[in-house]
Amino acid sequence: MAEKDITQKILEAYNDVFSDIVNVLLFQGRQVLKEDELEEQAPRSYYKADGKVHETERDVAKKWKKGNIRIACVGLENQTESDPDMTLRVIGYDGAEYRRNYCRRGRTNEDIRLLP
């Protein structure tokens, strides 16, 4: 992993930095997402293809919660060059998170909904 990528991930892992980035990119700088509404999200997911287990890893991912309500999972991917496959990679990350949530539903008695 490149040193630049590591330092970006370390910086973005701080909730105040993460919320500032998201507020600028999604909400035109308005303070919609607050740092105390963020929780860590597992960045790694696994899938099986061609008889092998593969690992994927998001750069930074956080759960956005207000009280007991989970609003969304927000992820950041750092790119210095255009990657034509990035959309498919992000769809895979999101799909893995939905799958993780779906599997939790079957293992508990909780009313777990598939969340955004």
Side-chain angles (χ1 to χ4, degrees):
M1 181 182 315
E3 185 175 323
K4 183 177 181 180
D5 193 42
I6 292 170
T7 56
Q8 288 172 337
K9 287 180 186 181
I10 291 169
L11 181 62
E12 292 165 349
Y14 290 100
N15 286 352
D16 59 334
V17 174
F18 189 93
S19 63
D20 282 348
I21 292 169
V22 172
N23 284 324
V24 166
L25 294 176
L26 298 182
F27 305 112
Q28 294 75 44
R30 288 180 286 123
Q31 300 300 306
V32 175
L33 189 156
K34 296 175 180 56
E35 65 180 284
D36 62 344
E37 298 172 341
L38 293 170
E39 292 181 1
E40 295 300 316
Q41 173 86 18
R44 289 188 177 88
S45 59
Y46 305 90
Y47 65 95
K48 188 172 182 178
D50 303 323
K52 299 177 185 175
V53 176
H54 301 269
E55 176 185 58
T56 61
E57 183 176 359
R58 277 191 151 152
D59 283 349
V60 182
K62 305 260 184 186
K63 293 177 190 174
W64 180 10
K65 294 178 75 174
K66 286 192 177 196
N68 291 327
I69 300 171
R70 181 172 168 187
I71 298 172
C73 171
V74 181
L76 299 178
E77 293 299 321
N78 300 310
Q79 298 292 299
T80 54
E81 297 179 14
S82 178
D83 180 354
D85 295 329
M86 180 52 74
T87 302
L88 294 175
R89 288 173 47 199
V90 170
I91 289 169
Y93 301 148
D94 291 344
E97 182 60 27
Y98 279 114
R99 180 70 182 177
R100 180 179 340 206
N101 198 310
Y102 172 77
C103 290
R104 279 185 55 226
R105 284 173 40 173
R107 293 192 307 258
T108 68
N109 292 327
E110 295 178 61
D111 179 23
I112 298 175
R113 297 186 181 117
L114 295 180
L115 304 168

